[in-house]
Amino acid sequence: MSGTDTSEETGLSAECTVALRPEYTHMHGWCRQTEDIPLPHSTGILLIARCRCTCHQGER
């Protein structure tokens, strides 16, 4: 194992990371991380960061 997680490096959700494989491209539609969710009562800390996949370019 290389020790690097490509989903963390690129900011992809689990669904979009799997969808990079040709036989699982349909999984892009399953991704629900389309917006940043801040940690309640904090300034600038994210509970969940949005998926940075190019399939979400038009969403915001």
Side-chain angles (χ1 to χ4, degrees), residues 1-2 4 11 13-14 16 19-20 23-25 37 48 60:
M1 214 175 232
S2 67
T4 59
S13 67
C16 287
L20 294 175
E23 62 271 21
Y24 294 104
T25 56
I37 300 174
I48 299 174
R60 283 239 59 198

Side-chain angles (χ1 to χ4, degrees), residues 4 6 12-15 17 19 25 28-29 31 33 35 41-42 45 51-52 58-59:
T4 59
T6 53
L12 298 180
S13 67
E15 294 84 1
T17 300
T25 56
H28 283 291
C31 180
Q33 290 178 231
E35 60 186 53
H41 310 292
S42 70
I45 299 172
C51 179
R52 304 284 189 223
E59 300 174 16

